[in-house]
Each structure stands twice: as C-alpha cells, then as structure tokens.
Amino acid sequence: MKANCWMGRGTVEVQEVPDPKILNSRDAIIRITSTAICGSDLHLYQGFIPTMKKGDILGHEFMGEVVEVGPQVSNLQPGDRVVVPFPIACGNCSACQHGQYSVCENSNPNAGIAEKLMGHSPAGIFGYSHMFGGYAGGQAEYARVPFADVGPLKIEDDLPDEKVLFLSDILPTGWMGAEMCDIKPGDIIAVWGAGPVGQFAVASAFLQGAERVIAIDRFPYRLKKAERAGAETLDYEEVDVLDALRDMTAGRGPDACIDAVGIEAHHPAPAIYAYDRAKQAARIETDRPFALREAIRACRNGGIVSVIGAYGGLVDKFPMGALMNRSLTVRGAQCHVQRYLRPLLDRIRNGSIDPSFVISHRMRLDEAPRGYEMFRNKEDECLKVVLTP
Amino acid sequence: MSEEHHRKTDRLARALGWGSLGLGVIQLTAPNAVARLSGVDDSPWARITVPLVGVRELSHAAVLLGSRRPAPWAWTRVAGDALDLTVLGCSVANRTGWRRRRAAAVTAAVVGITAVDLYTAVCGSRRTGRRVTLRAAITVNRPREDVYWYWHDLENLPRFMAHLESVRATGDGRSHWKVKGPAGRSVEWDAVIIDDRPGELIAWHSVEGSAVGNSGSVRFTDAPGGRGTEVWVDLNYDPPVGMAGVAFAKLFGEDPEQQVRDDLRRFKQVMETGEVVRSEGSPEGIRAIRQVMQRPAQPVM
Ligand SMILES: NC(=O)c1ccc[n+]([C@@H]2O[C@H](COP(=O)([O-])OP(=O)(O)OC[C@H]3O[C@@H](n4cnc5c(N)ncnc54)[C@H](O)[C@@H]3O)[C@@H](O)[C@H]2O)c1
Ligand SMILES: [Zn+2]
Ligand SMILES: [Zn+2]
C-alpha cells in the first residue's frame, strides 16, 4: 500500500510499504477513506518530538471502512464505516475506566522509554513517535487499529466523511480544551492559536456557555474565521496581548485561557524568539512556550489555564511565580477522544456544529509532502488539509 | 556480607579520602616542612617529589570522596602506599643519624596506614560476587484471586517475561526453568516453591547446585479504594558471569531493573487486556531488545 512516511526533519515521502496485518486479537484493519494533517504532525515534521525513526508512517486523524477484524472484535464487521480516535486505549485499565483514555496504562509497548522522559507513560498514539508506542499512522491506504472493540465509532447514517472525520481528534480536543475551563455564566475565554484546534476551542467555548471568546493569532485569515464564529480577535503582532486583554476585560483578565498553540509558538519580538529558538536548536529546552507563558500571565487571579497545544519535553522561564501567587490552575491533556465521540456525533447530527468549516485544502494522499509544506508555511490561507488515498 | 558491613567499609574508605585530602593539601602548600619531617630534606629531588605525591593524594581523595561506593577505590591508595614504601625504604637505607630515624618512623607509620587501606580495599571488593536484588511492583485492575492464580500457573510466565524461554511444572511444587542468557546461550535450572499462600504469596528458590542460584517471591495485596491488586516482586540471583555479566547486559540496554518493570507491565497487559500489546515498532510484543532497537512504525512484511 501507499503511506506517508517521516524521512527525517522537514521531509515526508509517500512510499510503497507492506499492507498491515492483524497483530493482536482485538485489532481491526481499516481501509482509509479520509485522513487529515494535524498541527501535531507539524511538530513531528519539524523534528520537535523525540524518538521518531526514518520510515515511520504518520497520521492520527483518519476514518474508513473495516476490512478485517481480529477474533476478539465482535462489535465491528467488514464494511462498517468508522472514525478512529487518535489515542489508543484498552478500555480495561483503571485510566480507561475513568474515561482518561489518553493515559491508558496498557497501550504503550514502549512505556519504558516514555517513563524515562516523563516519569510515567501516557497511552500509545497512532503515528506519533516511538515513545508513544511506535504505531504506524493513518496517512495511508490501510491502517491497523488496536483495541478496535473500544475506540472506533461506527457512523451508521450518511453523514459525509468531512463532517465526521474531525471526531478523530481536533473537534474533541477543542471541546475538551473548553471543558477544562469549567465555563460559568459570564466567563470570558481567551484562546491562543486560531488553527483548526483553536477554531474548535472557540466554537466549543460558546457552546459551553462562554459570555465572550477572544482569539489570538497573527494570520488575518485565521482570525477572520474565528470572528465568523462570534469571537473577538487580537493580532499579537499588532497589539500587546496582555494590555489588550486587560482592557477588554475591564482589568480582570480572561477567566480562563486556552493554549491551542503548543511547542512551536512564534514570538513577535525577534530577540525573545531567537532566545528560545536557539535553546531549542541546542536541545537545552525542547519546547518554545511563548503562548503558554503569555496565557499564564494574562489569566485572571484564581483562573484556569487549559493546555491543549502539544508539548514534548521541557520548557524554560516558566512563570511559576504568577501561577503560585495568583492561585491559577493549569490543566492539560492529550484529548480523551473516546469520551466525547458520541455526544459530539449527536451535536453534528443535530446541526449544532458542522466541523467541516475548517477544511481549506483537499488533496490526494500522494500530495501529502506538498500538504505538509503548505500547512507549515500557512500558504494559500491553508487551515486544514484533508487527504484521500 | 551484610549491608551494614558494606556501609562501615564505605565509611572507612571515605575517612581515608579525607585523610588523603588533608595530606595532599599539606604536601602541596608546605613541601619543605614535609620533607624535613620525613628526613629527606637533604635530597634535591624532594622539592619535586613531595608536591607530586600531594597531587596523587588529591586524586585518591577525589575518587574516594566522589564515589557512592568508595570502598573498592581504596585500591588506589594501596598502590600509592606501595610506591611510597619503596621510596621510603631507599631513603632509610641511604641515610644515617636523625634523618634515618625520622625516615624509619615515617615508614613505620605508612606500613600501618597500608594495612588499613588494604583491609578497606579487600572488604570493599568482596562485594563483587554479591547477589543481585531486583524489586518492582505494579497495580493490576483485576481481583486478587485472579491475579494470584494466573501467576500460580508458572507455565504462564513466559507469556510476559521477555527472557524466559519456558517453565515446565514437574510436580510436587517443582519446576524446570529455561532462560535466554547473554550471547544467545540458554541457562536452565530447577526451582522449588517454598511458600505458597493462596491469594497472597508465592515464594521459590532454585534447588541446590543450580547453574544460576536464584530465589524470589511475589506478593499480592488489595490496592486501596478498589484499584485492583498490587503485585510486588522480589528477585535475587547470582549474576551468571559475575557483575561483569550484568554490566555487559546493561551495555545492550538490558538493564535488569527495567526488564522486571517491563515484564510486569506485560503481565498487566495480559491480565487486563488478554494479551501482550504489539505495535509496528515492536511487533513481537515481547522481545526486550525492541525497547532500544525499534523497527520503523510500518507494517511487517
Ligand atoms: N491535546 C491534544 O489532544 C491535541 C490534539 C490535536 C492537536 N493538538 C495541538 O494543538 C496545537 C494546534 O494545532 P493546530 O492543528 O491548530 O495547528 P496550527 O499550526 O494550524 O495552529 C497553531 C496556530 O498558533 C498560532 N500561533 C503561533 N504562535 C502564537 C502565539 N505566540 N500566540 C498566539 N498564536 C500563535 C499560529 O499562527 C497558528 O495559527 C498543536 O500544538 C497541536 O499539536 C493537541
Ligand atoms: Zn492531532
Ligand atoms: Zn486502558
């Protein structure tokens, strides 16, 4: 089959690779009909997540048709149409039973590697480095899906791929980003990053009852999209974000702040950008946390900072004083996607949200290298690339 | 040898380290006084030799004070003592009068110190043949009885223990174990269960005269708040080819502590999900080497 493979920092290639086979009795093989490129893929592409290997198949946002199931999978049959959540989760461990699927205790065969870096291991993730399990990803014609009796969501009506594909990751991620804010009446939520994840965080914050939502980015086309969803916007290259947020909230600061930027944040002041970029290049810090630092400083006293932007390792100059003295709460997670599949599918079905609004480019799987480049460089108003094999 | 004894030896070694530090500093800062005291101030070489010995003393101090287990490093002092005694011996032989008396007195003192160094070094290195002790624990989300009974069937163990080739129950609480040893050689032995309390504990040791002497126990306790069962494993074994074997194994990433933890993790996978979880990076599921030498995340041919 054809698959999009990581071939080293800054290079992906569509290659001919063997077809997947059932390895565990709870596996299913899926023929992929739609797959997308995520901001997280960009972190791998740029080489910021350690433990990638040349030849790794990328991709963790995919859906398709079941073609084969292992002997222990009784809920799915060949021909079923399914969306696959990006965290791999067993459903049996206590994390899964508490709905914390992205920290499943059994799905990472390389937990030992992750433990060395992070203390304890999170769940395995499709196509997301070897410390997250070394699983082949879904930017391919076929994929093997472990624990197929737990994760995949059957789509039984005729909703098109484009409306349900993002249940695999970014819609639940944006939703959970808002949910971690414990939104109460009157709350003002600020969202750093108006990428696809930020867009869904904005939409979700409104659906969860936010009074106002403020989106922060530097790309006008992305900010415009957020405006269309009802957000007020700030271009961080035009204004001082902290001052602007103080003004917009009559001095209080946003009640909760969502970091939907992550590890590769950009900073308008060249000197500060260069400081962290150089440390990152020298591997002294792995992550560039500008948005996170700003979110913590901007948040109102006693507020919540919700981190859904992805981080890989260590950050530097962390504003711990603000966090501690101002009684802030920081929450973060790889999304517990399985938890949100059904409720969000219901919302898509009843029309309260149509996630396809983020799609800007549709390409063939063969064109993945071009898609990665465009998405990274934000060329041609690129917001979300969907690939079809 | 007991842990207490090891600690005492290490304390002694550290004291010797401080001694080296003090002596080295004096030899470097007041070489003339040291030379006079030892009766060698008449030699033109003393001006160079004494500070050089001082530098050497500081290097003893560095290894003795810088090491977590300093006792074996006392050998560096023993070597230094031998050198000093040779030089002092010559000094005594070549001198007369008060110089000879002083040199002899210093030599006698060094002989005494050498005895202490030698004692520390010998005690410190005896531990090289020491048993390896490994402990690890994991929480399994299953009732205690289930977890106990699965383990109790020793023939199940190779399903999750990477190095076990097979375990065969031979009746009467006895079993025959086969392990993949270093460099592809396999090691076999017989073991006997010495304590077995249903739902609580299984303990065993290898029978007298086994190639690899070993013993172990696994305890099962209820995890608090309905979190399932806590599994506590203790393993003791004589390393197959001495400590060198363990160091050798570590070189290849086969850190034994890590291995026990990984084995337990696979035990948990089997108990909770039914089998060892596989990914494209480690499709065999159970080859220990895969943690360090992953395949690319691509389907296997
Ligand atoms: N937690 C999860 O489960 C999960 C799931 C999916 C994605 N993610 C992460 O979410 C993040 C966003 O993903 P995406 O697909 O939207 O990526 P994206 O690259 O399209 O969006 C990131 C946006 O952040 C903006 N940005 C950069 N620096 C900024 C700054 N200092 N202040 C404000 N905005 C800034 C960029 O201009 C860009 O528009 C990534 O880190 C991704 O890895 C996490
Ligand atoms: Zn993603
Ligand atoms: Zn689980």
PDB file of all heavy atoms in Angstrom, chain B residues 28-53:
ATOM      1  N   LEU B  28      51.275  19.955  49.169  1.00  0.00           N
ATOM      2  CA  LEU B  28      51.342  20.957  48.103  1.00  0.00           C
ATOM      3  C   LEU B  28      51.698  22.339  48.641  1.00  0.00           C
ATOM      4  O   LEU B  28      52.387  23.108  47.984  1.00  0.00           O
ATOM      5  CB  LEU B  28      50.002  21.021  47.356  1.00  0.00           C
ATOM      6  CG  LEU B  28      49.801  19.899  46.325  1.00  0.00           C
ATOM      7  CD1 LEU B  28      48.386  19.939  45.775  1.00  0.00           C
ATOM      8  CD2 LEU B  28      50.811  20.035  45.187  1.00  0.00           C
ATOM      9  N   THR B  29      51.206  22.651  49.859  1.00  0.00           N
ATOM     10  CA  THR B  29      51.409  24.014  50.357  1.00  0.00           C
ATOM     11  C   THR B  29      52.679  24.141  51.201  1.00  0.00           C
ATOM     12  O   THR B  29      53.272  25.209  51.263  1.00  0.00           O
ATOM     13  CB  THR B  29      50.197  24.473  51.196  1.00  0.00           C
ATOM     14  OG1 THR B  29      49.966  23.478  52.204  1.00  0.00           O
ATOM     15  CG2 THR B  29      48.960  24.642  50.350  1.00  0.00           C
ATOM     16  N   ALA B  30      53.105  23.059  51.853  1.00  0.00           N
ATOM     17  CA  ALA B  30      54.312  23.141  52.694  1.00  0.00           C
ATOM     18  C   ALA B  30      55.251  21.973  52.415  1.00  0.00           C
ATOM     19  O   ALA B  30      55.558  21.173  53.312  1.00  0.00           O
ATOM     20  CB  ALA B  30      53.918  23.177  54.169  1.00  0.00           C
ATOM     21  N   PRO B  31      55.727  21.825  51.184  1.00  0.00           N
ATOM     22  CA  PRO B  31      56.540  20.657  50.822  1.00  0.00           C
ATOM     23  C   PRO B  31      57.836  20.578  51.640  1.00  0.00           C
ATOM     24  O   PRO B  31      58.277  19.483  51.992  1.00  0.00           O
ATOM     25  CB  PRO B  31      56.834  20.859  49.332  1.00  0.00           C
ATOM     26  CG  PRO B  31      56.553  22.287  49.043  1.00  0.00           C
ATOM     27  CD  PRO B  31      55.549  22.750  50.044  1.00  0.00           C
ATOM     28  N   ASN B  32      58.411  21.745  51.975  1.00  0.00           N
ATOM     29  CA  ASN B  32      59.679  21.715  52.703  1.00  0.00           C
ATOM     30  C   ASN B  32      59.521  21.129  54.094  1.00  0.00           C
ATOM     31  O   ASN B  32      60.330  20.311  54.537  1.00  0.00           O
ATOM     32  CB  ASN B  32      60.274  23.121  52.792  1.00  0.00           C
ATOM     33  CG  ASN B  32      60.674  23.606  51.398  1.00  0.00           C
ATOM     34  OD1 ASN B  32      60.893  22.775  50.505  1.00  0.00           O
ATOM     35  ND2 ASN B  32      60.728  24.918  51.213  1.00  0.00           N
ATOM     36  N   ALA B  33      58.457  21.552  54.780  1.00  0.00           N
ATOM     37  CA  ALA B  33      58.215  21.041  56.130  1.00  0.00           C
ATOM     38  C   ALA B  33      58.033  19.529  56.084  1.00  0.00           C
ATOM     39  O   ALA B  33      58.576  18.792  56.921  1.00  0.00           O
ATOM     40  CB  ALA B  33      56.985  21.717  56.720  1.00  0.00           C
ATOM     41  N   VAL B  34      57.265  19.050  55.088  1.00  0.00           N
ATOM     42  CA  VAL B  34      57.021  17.609  54.968  1.00  0.00           C
ATOM     43  C   VAL B  34      58.345  16.875  54.745  1.00  0.00           C
ATOM     44  O   VAL B  34      58.623  15.846  55.366  1.00  0.00           O
ATOM     45  CB  VAL B  34      56.032  17.318  53.815  1.00  0.00           C
ATOM     46  CG1 VAL B  34      55.894  15.817  53.582  1.00  0.00           C
ATOM     47  CG2 VAL B  34      54.684  17.943  54.114  1.00  0.00           C
ATOM     48  N   ALA B  35      59.191  17.444  53.865  1.00  0.00           N
ATOM     49  CA  ALA B  35      60.474  16.806  53.561  1.00  0.00           C
ATOM     50  C   ALA B  35      61.336  16.724  54.820  1.00  0.00           C
ATOM     51  O   ALA B  35      61.955  15.687  55.101  1.00  0.00           O
ATOM     52  CB  ALA B  35      61.197  17.586  52.462  1.00  0.00           C
ATOM     53  N   ARG B  36      61.345  17.803  55.609  1.00  0.00           N
ATOM     54  CA  ARG B  36      62.172  17.815  56.815  1.00  0.00           C
ATOM     55  C   ARG B  36      61.677  16.759  57.806  1.00  0.00           C
ATOM     56  O   ARG B  36      62.442  15.972  58.345  1.00  0.00           O
ATOM     57  CB  ARG B  36      62.140  19.211  57.464  1.00  0.00           C
ATOM     58  CG  ARG B  36      63.525  19.638  57.976  1.00  0.00           C
ATOM     59  CD  ARG B  36      63.537  21.086  58.456  1.00  0.00           C
ATOM     60  NE  ARG B  36      62.896  22.011  57.536  1.00  0.00           N
ATOM     61  CZ  ARG B  36      61.815  22.743  57.812  1.00  0.00           C
ATOM     62  NH1 ARG B  36      61.229  22.653  58.973  1.00  0.00           N
ATOM     63  NH2 ARG B  36      61.314  23.577  56.920  1.00  0.00           N
ATOM     64  N   LEU B  37      60.364  16.737  57.984  1.00  0.00           N
ATOM     65  CA  LEU B  37      59.765  15.796  58.920  1.00  0.00           C
ATOM     66  C   LEU B  37      60.080  14.345  58.546  1.00  0.00           C
ATOM     67  O   LEU B  37      60.265  13.483  59.404  1.00  0.00           O
ATOM     68  CB  LEU B  37      58.245  16.011  58.914  1.00  0.00           C
ATOM     69  CG  LEU B  37      57.512  15.519  60.142  1.00  0.00           C
ATOM     70  CD1 LEU B  37      57.796  16.455  61.319  1.00  0.00           C
ATOM     71  CD2 LEU B  37      56.014  15.465  59.871  1.00  0.00           C
ATOM     72  N   SER B  38      60.154  14.067  57.220  1.00  0.00           N
ATOM     73  CA  SER B  38      60.414  12.702  56.782  1.00  0.00           C
ATOM     74  C   SER B  38      61.904  12.425  56.669  1.00  0.00           C
ATOM     75  O   SER B  38      62.303  11.349  56.227  1.00  0.00           O
ATOM     76  CB  SER B  38      59.773  12.438  55.419  1.00  0.00           C
ATOM     77  OG  SER B  38      58.574  13.144  55.304  1.00  0.00           O
ATOM     78  N   GLY B  39      62.701  13.412  56.972  1.00  0.00           N
ATOM     79  CA  GLY B  39      64.144  13.206  56.935  1.00  0.00           C
ATOM     80  C   GLY B  39      64.722  13.162  55.542  1.00  0.00           C
ATOM     81  O   GLY B  39      65.814  12.644  55.323  1.00  0.00           O
ATOM     82  N   VAL B  40      64.016  13.684  54.555  1.00  0.00           N
ATOM     83  CA  VAL B  40      64.540  13.628  53.183  1.00  0.00           C
ATOM     84  C   VAL B  40      64.850  15.021  52.632  1.00  0.00           C
ATOM     85  O   VAL B  40      65.018  15.186  51.426  1.00  0.00           O
ATOM     86  CB  VAL B  40      63.566  12.889  52.226  1.00  0.00           C
ATOM     87  CG1 VAL B  40      63.426  11.432  52.639  1.00  0.00           C
ATOM     88  CG2 VAL B  40      62.213  13.588  52.202  1.00  0.00           C
ATOM     89  N   ASP B  41      64.916  16.024  53.538  1.00  0.00           N
ATOM     90  CA  ASP B  41      65.132  17.394  53.072  1.00  0.00           C
ATOM     91  C   ASP B  41      66.516  17.601  52.462  1.00  0.00           C
ATOM     92  O   ASP B  41      66.782  18.627  51.851  1.00  0.00           O
ATOM     93  CB  ASP B  41      64.906  18.391  54.216  1.00  0.00           C
ATOM     94  CG  ASP B  41      65.755  18.046  55.423  1.00  0.00           C
ATOM     95  OD1 ASP B  41      65.990  16.834  55.661  1.00  0.00           O
ATOM     96  OD2 ASP B  41      66.192  18.979  56.117  1.00  0.00           O
ATOM     97  N   ASP B  42      67.411  16.608  52.601  1.00  0.00           N
ATOM     98  CA  ASP B  42      68.740  16.749  52.016  1.00  0.00           C
ATOM     99  C   ASP B  42      68.745  16.400  50.533  1.00  0.00           C
ATOM    100  O   ASP B  42      69.694  16.676  49.817  1.00  0.00           O
ATOM    101  CB  ASP B  42      69.736  15.849  52.763  1.00  0.00           C
ATOM    102  CG  ASP B  42      69.260  14.400  52.786  1.00  0.00           C
ATOM    103  OD1 ASP B  42      68.054  14.163  52.509  1.00  0.00           O
ATOM    104  OD2 ASP B  42      70.070  13.510  53.081  1.00  0.00           O
ATOM    105  N   SER B  43      67.680  15.789  50.043  1.00  0.00           N
ATOM    106  CA  SER B  43      67.683  15.364  48.639  1.00  0.00           C
ATOM    107  C   SER B  43      67.141  16.481  47.746  1.00  0.00           C
ATOM    108  O   SER B  43      66.100  17.077  48.044  1.00  0.00           O
ATOM    109  CB  SER B  43      66.802  14.124  48.476  1.00  0.00           C
ATOM    110  OG  SER B  43      66.398  13.988  47.145  1.00  0.00           O
ATOM    111  N   PRO B  44      67.828  16.781  46.628  1.00  0.00           N
ATOM    112  CA  PRO B  44      67.315  17.803  45.700  1.00  0.00           C
ATOM    113  C   PRO B  44      65.988  17.369  45.067  1.00  0.00           C
ATOM    114  O   PRO B  44      65.190  18.195  44.636  1.00  0.00           O
ATOM    115  CB  PRO B  44      68.417  17.908  44.647  1.00  0.00           C
ATOM    116  CG  PRO B  44      69.210  16.644  44.744  1.00  0.00           C
ATOM    117  CD  PRO B  44      69.085  16.167  46.160  1.00  0.00           C
ATOM    118  N   TRP B  45      65.736  16.060  45.039  1.00  0.00           N
ATOM    119  CA  TRP B  45      64.506  15.543  44.421  1.00  0.00           C
ATOM    120  C   TRP B  45      63.268  15.787  45.276  1.00  0.00           C
ATOM    121  O   TRP B  45      62.157  15.797  44.766  1.00  0.00           O
ATOM    122  CB  TRP B  45      64.641  14.041  44.152  1.00  0.00           C
ATOM    123  CG  TRP B  45      65.643  13.757  43.066  1.00  0.00           C
ATOM    124  CD1 TRP B  45      66.904  13.257  43.214  1.00  0.00           C
ATOM    125  CD2 TRP B  45      65.474  14.009  41.676  1.00  0.00           C
ATOM    126  NE1 TRP B  45      67.546  13.166  42.013  1.00  0.00           N
ATOM    127  CE2 TRP B  45      66.683  13.623  41.034  1.00  0.00           C
ATOM    128  CE3 TRP B  45      64.437  14.532  40.897  1.00  0.00           C
ATOM    129  CZ2 TRP B  45      66.871  13.735  39.670  1.00  0.00           C
ATOM    130  CZ3 TRP B  45      64.633  14.627  39.524  1.00  0.00           C
ATOM    131  CH2 TRP B  45      65.836  14.242  38.924  1.00  0.00           C
ATOM    132  N   ALA B  46      63.508  15.950  46.590  1.00  0.00           N
ATOM    133  CA  ALA B  46      62.367  16.077  47.496  1.00  0.00           C
ATOM    134  C   ALA B  46      61.459  17.246  47.114  1.00  0.00           C
ATOM    135  O   ALA B  46      60.231  17.159  47.218  1.00  0.00           O
ATOM    136  CB  ALA B  46      62.863  16.239  48.937  1.00  0.00           C
ATOM    137  N   ARG B  47      62.068  18.341  46.633  1.00  0.00           N
ATOM    138  CA  ARG B  47      61.289  19.535  46.261  1.00  0.00           C
ATOM    139  C   ARG B  47      60.254  19.228  45.179  1.00  0.00           C
ATOM    140  O   ARG B  47      59.219  19.878  45.094  1.00  0.00           O
ATOM    141  CB  ARG B  47      62.211  20.639  45.750  1.00  0.00           C
ATOM    142  CG  ARG B  47      63.218  21.128  46.763  1.00  0.00           C
ATOM    143  CD  ARG B  47      64.034  22.235  46.140  1.00  0.00           C
ATOM    144  NE  ARG B  47      63.183  23.408  45.912  1.00  0.00           N
ATOM    145  CZ  ARG B  47      62.993  24.343  46.847  1.00  0.00           C
ATOM    146  NH1 ARG B  47      63.555  24.228  48.032  1.00  0.00           N
ATOM    147  NH2 ARG B  47      62.223  25.386  46.596  1.00  0.00           N
ATOM    148  N   ILE B  48      60.606  18.247  44.318  1.00  0.00           N
ATOM    149  CA  ILE B  48      59.671  17.882  43.233  1.00  0.00           C
ATOM    150  C   ILE B  48      58.767  16.731  43.665  1.00  0.00           C
ATOM    151  O   ILE B  48      57.564  16.731  43.428  1.00  0.00           O
ATOM    152  CB  ILE B  48      60.449  17.446  41.969  1.00  0.00           C
ATOM    153  CG1 ILE B  48      61.523  18.489  41.662  1.00  0.00           C
ATOM    154  CG2 ILE B  48      59.509  17.279  40.792  1.00  0.00           C
ATOM    155  CD1 ILE B  48      62.594  17.973  40.713  1.00  0.00           C
ATOM    156  N   THR B  49      59.381  15.750  44.353  1.00  0.00           N
ATOM    157  CA  THR B  49      58.627  14.539  44.682  1.00  0.00           C
ATOM    158  C   THR B  49      57.470  14.815  45.643  1.00  0.00           C
ATOM    159  O   THR B  49      56.349  14.342  45.432  1.00  0.00           O
ATOM    160  CB  THR B  49      59.561  13.484  45.324  1.00  0.00           C
ATOM    161  OG1 THR B  49      60.793  13.487  44.601  1.00  0.00           O
ATOM    162  CG2 THR B  49      58.941  12.115  45.270  1.00  0.00           C
ATOM    163  N   VAL B  50      57.741  15.605  46.683  1.00  0.00           N
ATOM    164  CA  VAL B  50      56.704  15.802  47.704  1.00  0.00           C
ATOM    165  C   VAL B  50      55.427  16.418  47.094  1.00  0.00           C
ATOM    166  O   VAL B  50      54.331  15.883  47.292  1.00  0.00           O
ATOM    167  CB  VAL B  50      57.244  16.622  48.899  1.00  0.00           C
ATOM    168  CG1 VAL B  50      56.119  16.994  49.850  1.00  0.00           C
ATOM    169  CG2 VAL B  50      58.320  15.819  49.638  1.00  0.00           C
ATOM    170  N   PRO B  51      55.522  17.524  46.313  1.00  0.00           N
ATOM    171  CA  PRO B  51      54.280  18.042  45.713  1.00  0.00           C
ATOM    172  C   PRO B  51      53.628  17.039  44.757  1.00  0.00           C
ATOM    173  O   PRO B  51      52.398  16.959  44.685  1.00  0.00           O
ATOM    174  CB  PRO B  51      54.738  19.284  44.951  1.00  0.00           C
ATOM    175  CG  PRO B  51      56.051  19.656  45.534  1.00  0.00           C
ATOM    176  CD  PRO B  51      56.686  18.387  46.032  1.00  0.00           C
ATOM    177  N   LEU B  52      54.466  16.248  44.052  1.00  0.00           N
ATOM    178  CA  LEU B  52      53.864  15.255  43.147  1.00  0.00           C
ATOM    179  C   LEU B  52      53.044  14.232  43.931  1.00  0.00           C
ATOM    180  O   LEU B  52      51.928  13.869  43.535  1.00  0.00           O
ATOM    181  CB  LEU B  52      54.965  14.530  42.353  1.00  0.00           C
ATOM    182  CG  LEU B  52      55.469  15.274  41.108  1.00  0.00           C
ATOM    183  CD1 LEU B  52      56.565  14.459  40.417  1.00  0.00           C
ATOM    184  CD2 LEU B  52      54.313  15.539  40.147  1.00  0.00           C
ATOM    185  N   VAL B  53      53.607  13.814  45.061  1.00  0.00           N
ATOM    186  CA  VAL B  53      52.853  12.888  45.916  1.00  0.00           C
ATOM    187  C   VAL B  53      51.570  13.578  46.395  1.00  0.00           C
ATOM    188  O   VAL B  53      50.503  12.967  46.479  1.00  0.00           O
ATOM    189  CB  VAL B  53      53.725  12.430  47.109  1.00  0.00           C
ATOM    190  CG1 VAL B  53      52.893  11.601  48.081  1.00  0.00           C
ATOM    191  CG2 VAL B  53      54.912  11.611  46.608  1.00  0.00           C
TER     192      VAL B  53
END
